[in-house]
Amino acid sequence: MESRKLNSVDEFNEYRAKILNSHKGDYPVIYVCGGTPCLAKGSRAVAEAFRKEIEAQGLECRVELSLKITGCQGFCSKGPVVSFGDDIVYMEVKPKHVPEIIEKTVKRGEIIEALGYKDPATGKKAATFDGIPFYSHQKQLILGDLRKLDPFEIDDYIARGGYASLDRAFSMDPDAIIDTIEASGLRGRGGGGFPAGRKWRSCRNIETETRYVLCNGDEGDPGAFMDRSIMEGNPHAVIEGMIIGARAVGAHKGYAYIRDEYPLAVEAMKKAVVDATALGILGKNILGSGFDFEVKITRGGGAFVCGESSALMRSVEGKVGEPRAKYIRSVEKGLYEQPTVLNNVETWANVPLIINNGVQWYRQTGTDGSPGTKVFSLAGKVENTGLVEVPMGITIRELVEDIGGGVLGGKRFKAVQTGGPSGGCIPQSKMDLPIDFDSLTDAGSMMGSGGIIVMDEETCMVDVAKYFISFLVEESCGKCAPCRDGLPRMLRILTDITEGKGKEGDIEVLEELCDVLSYGALCGLGTSAPNPVLSTIRYFRDEYEAHIRDKRCPGHVCKSFITYRIDADACTGCTLCAKQCPQKCISGEKKQTHVIDQDKCIKCNVCREVCKFDAVRVE
Amino acid sequence: MENIKIVIDGKEVEAIRDQSVLDVARENGIYIPALCYHPEVEASGGSCRVCLVEAHQNGRMRLVTSCNYPAREGLEIKTDTDLVRRIRKGVVELLLSRVPDSDVIRELATRDGIEDTRFFKDEGDNYRYKCIACSLCTLVCEEVVGVSAISMLNRGYEKEPGTPYHKASQACIGCGACAYACPTQAIAMTDEGALRKIWGREFSMVSCSVCGKPYIPEAQVDWIVKTTGKERSFFDKCPDHR
């Protein structure tokens, strides 16, 4: 649509009516996923093939057709994902499938089961959202729109009811907006779970001229990509939330802080701000309401600590991203020493839903203490990895088994890691733990921003702790002594344990150091840094002891404790392992059992990966 | 300024609202070890974590750094509980691992009953002399002197104060405020005759016309004249003979 500044809610409604009219009824739409994982797997080529095929068939095509490149459709491990209409969804679509999809599905409405999801247990195929457990067990309040929206078209968002909440928000008293958010029980999705409404009220209650609202898009946990997907797939929902928040607390300027490693998210958010400003949805006198609010996009350099609120604010100011040592809350003195509300991407995206549908509707989902849904990125050793949204209170078992399809390759489940480097590992015995802010914290982990990493029996928990601590050693800003000097010492002890140099008392020393960090460190990064160590000691102490006392790694991961051996009964003498071995230390004649020279073996696992007969054993 | 009362180790003491708890304690002769805090440097504190105390407020207890914790009515501070001692001991042991040659840190360690650290020491390529990277020197240079010749370089374990790219800094006026403020005497500054060496630069000193003692770098005189408009002749004599 031609964009012009809309000067009132009436003009906005007229504009929306025009978009809807121009859509000529409900002709079918092919949605090609344009999330980063699907793009990496070639979804752009698939979209191009659709475009060409539609053009080539021209008038012969009996139905009018629209093609959209959308945000993430969730099922990243099975991408590129293509969906059609409301129900049909195909996985791992390649350009060669396009003519068949046009012919059968688009023209004749047939479902091509072969392109659907194959249940690993039953082998049955399903190609509808309802028929695929990965989708049918989810509740998609936030993500539902992602798979149908073209994130670069504001009209698309408006057509689906976007920015409609502004009418209501502008007619409400700011305090009433805060009352609503408070009553909804919305808690910060960035990790801490702080009640959003209470944060807003504290900020509003400070007497001042200038206030700010910020959006934290500095998602830094390894394996987490929820916020990226929301910014890439539905940027306007984030901005709509920020407008409502700004109106509620009385801010006229906002910043969205997005890490620069998310180029698509930066691009989508920038375009969204430009488009919304052109329509008068951002800027001076928004939709004739008399309320001014502008949003600026700030790109972060990728320091993990910049996700911490005071470090993020310093970074927005153009200073070194370090947390502030002062005991002042940012709702009192935040960005540029002014009262500031900082919420993360997903929290902001929840706000329009609450304003549009009301508190009662919102509270129907989730638990009393943690209402609503939570978006998780499901990763690690699980059949179905991707972006999922579930009601709060769902158990870890449901998430891993029903939606995730169980552990990859039918291996035994060992633990899930939640909350990233600040979170912890939750063992098999806690599989029926409900996922909400408080239960996870009680279990020694935390919700974090929503990264869920599934670990199987071949995971070494000491190695996991070591991985996260080495990540934190790199990411510590170095401002306070416990974090800067304590983490490298923790890492050394963990490394020693995994290299067979662990000694009695190491576990206790680790626990001591953990205490020094959790009580003594300056910011949230330091005080939560012990969680990966403490939670693995708490639930997997036996693995630590096996490393230290028996010089054994139960997960067969730590190289000091394992040897590779070729099983004579299984080896066919295909020579593949010998060819691939970088050390050239596997010998054997064709069709004869091969042997590994233990003196030269560097335990790189290549032989085991290439062997087609599962003949390479780790002991 | 609002006068209030807080409790430190069971003793009720006078304080000004939002005053540093450490300052209040010091005014009342209550000892809390501290390194990175300087009362004249607004942005200082909160880095070395040695001055940790228990703060009891609104029915809640947390461990806070007393140097930058604001005094408020109803606040109760405990400086010598098991928890405080245990965590501070851990912090000091880590600092000792970082700078085993620092007599200041060794003294703190002895005080807390630490003979030697159980952790690896920063030696060899990681030798840090006596610097605990508390950043007080850079804050003094920025906030008090106003030249920002040094700043904190790198991050994490590699963090250290220094001039840009470790090159001689033209912004430095050789005043030595950084060295005077350093809690562990980690900054090398030598005065030989009328020559001062600091941060890889040499500064010629102005000598007192009365006693003949070199007492201030010329560059510092230039800076003061430029920024305050003070007469250059004022610096002919050292403070003892003005």
Side-chain angles (χ1 to χ4, degrees):
Chain A
M1 294 287 289
E2 188 196 346
S3 79
R4 58 178 179 93
K5 198 164 185 288
L6 306 171
N7 295 310
S8 67
V9 171
D10 287 342
E11 283 185 32
F12 172 81
N13 289 335
E14 276 168 34
Y15 182 80
R16 178 162 186 258
K18 262 191 209 162
I19 302 171
L20 291 173
N21 283 336
S22 73
H23 276 192
K24 293 178 197 156
D26 54 345
Y27 58 78
V29 181
I30 301 170
Y31 302 101
V32 179
C33 180
T36 295
C38 281
L39 286 176
K41 286 185 167 183
S43 69
R44 217 183 284 278
V46 173
E48 200 46 45
F50 270 114
R51 196 167 287 141
K52 280 198 181 136
E53 190 68 21
I54 293 165
E55 258 176 42
Q57 298 216 11
L59 292 169
E60 282 175 39
C61 187
R62 272 174 293 157
V63 285
E64 282 194 72
L65 198 57
S66 166
L67 175 75
K68 271 189 206 173
I69 300 179
T70 67
C72 183
Q73 303 201 9
F75 213 157
C76 305
S77 56
K78 299 280 188 282
V81 176
V82 171
S83 56
F84 181 72
D86 287 331
D87 308 317
I88 302 171
V89 57
Y90 296 143
M91 316 273 154
E92 297 178 318
V93 177
K94 300 198 168 54
K96 66 174 183 194
H97 298 129
V98 166
E100 189 190 0
I101 295 174
I102 297 270
E103 206 48 46
K104 291 188 179 162
T105 307
V106 177
K107 290 189 182 167
R108 302 205 295 266
E110 285 174 27
I111 294 174
I112 310 166
E113 298 272 328
L115 289 175
Y117 169 73
K118 185 177 165 191
D119 190 307
T122 61
K124 265 181 72 178
K125 289 235 171 186
T128 59
F129 285 111
D130 288 344
I132 302 173
F134 178 81
Y135 285 110
S136 62
H137 283 85
Q138 293 191 45
K139 174 145 190 170
Q140 299 194 323
L141 302 183
I142 306 276
L143 298 183
D145 277 345
L146 256 66
R147 60 171 198 247
K148 297 210 162 165
L149 275 178
D150 182 338
F152 288 92
E153 289 296 333
I154 189 171
D155 287 0
D156 218 26
Y157 182 66
I158 293 174
R160 289 186 62 82
Y163 289 118
S165 72
L166 295 187
D167 181 15
R168 186 182 296 242
F170 286 142
S171 62
M172 284 165 88
D173 186 64
D175 281 316
I177 300 177
I178 298 179
D179 289 344
T180 306
I181 297 300
E182 214 163 22
S184 76
L186 175 65
R187 295 172 70 171
R189 262 51 174 167
F194 192 83
R198 204 194 301 167
K199 192 186 270 186
W200 294 16
R201 192 177 301 286
S202 309
C203 181
R204 179 169 178 78
N205 285 344
I206 310 268
E207 293 278 332
T208 178
E209 290 283 302
T210 314
R211 297 185 190 82
Y212 295 103
V213 293
L214 300 183
C215 170
N216 187 347
D218 189 57
E219 185 173 55
D221 295 357
F225 49 90
M226 307 71 53
D227 292 345
R228 187 194 72 206
S229 300
I230 293 171
M231 288 186 286
E232 285 176 0
N234 198 359
H236 287 286
V238 180
I239 290 167
E240 187 174 352
M242 287 178 76
I243 299 172
I244 296 165
R247 154 96 177 138
V249 304
H252 300 295
K253 195 161 184 179
Y255 292 86
Y257 186 86
I258 309 167
R259 59 188 300 198
D260 207 28
E261 291 98 321
Y262 285 177
L264 192 58
V266 171
E267 203 185 321
M269 287 289 287
K270 272 191 171 162
K271 173 94 169 35
V273 168
V274 169
D275 291 350
T277 309
L279 283 178
I281 291 168
L282 281 174
K284 291 255 177 257
N285 193 14
I286 294 174
L287 299 181
S289 63
F291 178 69
D292 306 337
F293 180 61
E294 57 170 330
V295 172
K296 288 233 150 55
I297 308 292
T298 306
R299 290 173 306 155
F304 182 67
V305 73
C306 286
E308 194 274 344
S309 64
S310 64
L312 183 148
M313 289 172 200
R314 285 183 62 111
S315 180
V316 172
E317 291 172 10
K319 297 176 185 156
V320 177
E322 269 179 7
R324 176 170 67 178
K326 300 252 186 277
Y327 293 93
I328 307 168
R329 295 178 308 152
S330 53
V331 287
E332 288 173 33
K333 277 186 178 182
L335 186 68
Y336 299 113
E337 301 285 301
Q338 300 302 318
T340 303
V341 162
L342 172 70
N343 282 127
N344 99 318
V345 170
E346 191 185 338
T347 317
W348 287 123
N350 268 280
V351 170
L353 292 175
I354 298 166
I355 298 295
N356 270 330
N357 301 298
V359 169
Q360 217 177 356
W361 172 86
Y362 189 74
R363 277 190 166 277
Q364 283 169 5
T365 309
T367 64
D368 269 358
S370 307
T373 59
K374 178 77 193 86
V375 181
F376 291 103
S377 52
L378 195 54
K381 301 286 180 63
V382 61
E383 284 288 345
N384 310 328
T385 58
L387 196 65
V388 303
E389 183 179 359
V390 293
M392 292 272 195
I394 186 177
T395 63
I396 293 173
R397 186 186 300 282
E398 287 171 276
L399 188 62
V400 172
E401 291 180 357
D402 296 343
I403 295 173
V407 177
L408 194 64
K411 295 221 168 71
R412 206 165 51 82
F413 172 90
K414 188 182 252 181
V416 287
Q417 207 279 348
T418 73
S422 308
C425 295
I426 296 169
Q428 168 103 42
S429 60
K430 300 259 175 187
M431 279 286 266
D432 293 309
L433 191 77
I435 300 179
D436 60 65
F437 289 105
D438 309 311
S439 306
L440 288 177
T441 308
D442 290 346
S445 183
M446 66 187 277
M447 179 79 86
S449 52
I452 297 260
I453 302 171
V454 178
M455 295 165 181
D456 67 8
E457 56 193 320
E458 292 183 356
T459 311
C460 166
M461 301 315 284
V462 187
D463 187 60
V464 167
K466 188 177 86 175
Y467 165 76
F468 281 108
I469 297 302
S470 67
F471 175 88
L472 290 163
V473 167
E474 293 296 317
E475 295 297 340
S476 165
C477 81
K479 192 180 172 86
C480 80
C483 179
R484 177 193 63 218
D485 295 321
L487 286 171
R489 267 94 197 164
M490 267 159 86
L491 179 61
R492 175 70 66 88
I493 297 170
L494 289 165
T495 307
D496 282 351
I497 294 176
T498 58
E499 289 178 355
K501 291 178 275 185
K503 50 188 187 301
E504 286 297 327
D506 275 357
I507 301 176
E508 289 71 21
V509 175
L510 277 174
E511 286 173 324
E512 261 183 63
L513 274 174
C514 287
D515 250 11
V516 174
L517 261 87
S518 47
Y519 281 106
L522 190 160
C523 80
L525 187 151
T527 55
S528 62
N531 285 350
V533 177
L534 285 176
S535 65
T536 47
I537 292 179
R538 175 168 165 189
Y539 297 120
F540 301 95
R541 201 181 184 98
D542 54 331
E543 286 201 24
Y544 279 81
E545 287 167 351
H547 283 77
I548 296 170
R549 289 181 195 156
D550 314 334
K551 307 296 172 201
R552 184 171 64 81
C553 173
H556 298 306
V557 172
C558 298
K559 287 186 182 176
S560 308
F561 305 122
I562 53 171
T563 48
Y564 283 77
R565 196 180 58 77
I566 295 172
D567 185 341
D569 294 337
C571 179
T572 62
C574 75
T575 75
L576 196 57
C577 58
K579 280 182 192 146
Q580 297 291 330
C581 174
Q583 288 293 92
K584 298 284 168 234
C585 68
I586 303 179
S587 54
E589 294 294 313
K590 242 184 202 170
K591 296 190 179 166
Q592 300 290 317
T593 303
H594 281 49
V595 181
I596 300 172
D597 181 346
Q598 297 299 338
D599 293 339
K600 289 187 188 156
C601 176
I602 55 167
K603 298 160 189 173
C604 67
N605 206 41
V606 165
C607 51
R608 185 158 166 259
E609 275 169 16
V610 297
C611 181
K612 293 189 174 116
F613 307 98
D614 204 15
V616 182
R617 303 286 150 81
V618 186
E619 286 159 354
Chain B
M1 287 215 290
E2 188 190 332
N3 290 315
I4 57 162
K5 284 195 169 65
I6 66 168
V7 174
I8 305 181
D9 292 341
K11 188 176 140 193
E12 196 178 67
V13 295
E14 302 256 332
I16 300 161
R17 190 186 144 91
D18 287 345
Q19 192 183 359
S20 145
V21 165
L22 178 63
D23 283 349
V24 179
R26 283 175 174 174
E27 281 168 13
N28 288 280
I30 299 163
Y31 173 75
I32 301 171
L35 296 167
C36 70
Y37 172 73
H38 195 291
E40 298 303 321
V41 185
E42 229 259 76
S44 71
S47 164
C48 73
R49 319 303 285 178
V50 167
C51 69
L52 290 167
V53 295
E54 278 184 20
H56 298 255
Q57 211 166 12
N58 308 325
R60 232 180 75 168
M61 188 285 281
R62 31 178 201 159
L63 221 54
V64 302
T65 43
S66 57
C67 65
N68 57 3
Y69 199 76
R72 294 276 169 96
E73 193 69 55
L75 173 66
E76 189 185 355
I77 295 290
K78 292 181 182 171
T79 71
D80 198 28
T81 64
D82 285 346
L83 181 67
V84 170
R85 276 196 302 271
R86 185 159 61 87
I87 304 303
R88 184 181 59 222
K89 208 172 156 177
V91 173
V92 171
E93 186 175 354
L94 287 172
L95 288 174
L96 187 65
S97 319
R98 179 184 178 84
V99 288
D101 289 346
S102 163
D103 28 7
V104 175
I105 302 297
R106 268 212 310 274
E107 206 174 293
L108 274 183
T110 312
R111 220 188 154 99
D112 275 335
I114 305 165
E115 283 174 22
D116 198 4
T117 172
R118 292 165 295 171
F119 310 120
F120 71 84
K121 294 174 182 169
D122 288 353
E123 294 162 324
D125 289 346
N126 283 329
Y127 184 62
R128 302 175 199 285
Y129 187 49
K130 296 174 178 177
C131 176
I132 58 164
C134 73
S135 79
L136 182 56
C137 53
T138 65
L139 296 171
V140 167
C141 189
E142 180 188 345
E143 204 183 290
V144 180
V145 185
V147 298
S148 294
I150 49 170
S151 59
M152 297 307 285
L153 313 175
N154 307 324
R155 68 170 187 183
Y157 190 50
E158 306 296 325
K159 196 174 200 120
E160 58 177 355
T163 54
Y165 306 102
H166 294 295
K167 300 270 191 255
S169 160
Q170 292 312 304
C172 181
I173 57 171
C175 69
C178 51
Y180 298 125
C182 177
T184 53
Q185 289 103 46
I187 298 173
M189 180 172 83
T190 57
D191 287 351
E192 278 172 32
L195 205 64
R196 169 174 291 180
K197 286 185 191 169
I198 187 167
W199 294 114
R201 253 189 84 186
E202 292 182 349
F203 294 89
S204 49
M205 309 284 278
V206 174
S207 297
C208 173
S209 59
V210 180
C211 65
K213 205 174 91 184
Y215 81 98
I216 187 169
E218 276 170 15
Q220 189 179 359
V221 174
D222 293 345
W223 174 256
I224 297 172
V225 169
K226 190 176 121 194
T227 51
T228 66
K230 214 160 188 69
E231 288 295 321
R232 192 168 285 272
S233 58
F234 177 82
F235 298 97
D236 289 348
K237 294 173 192 164
C238 74
D240 290 346
H241 297 102
R242 272 173 208 157

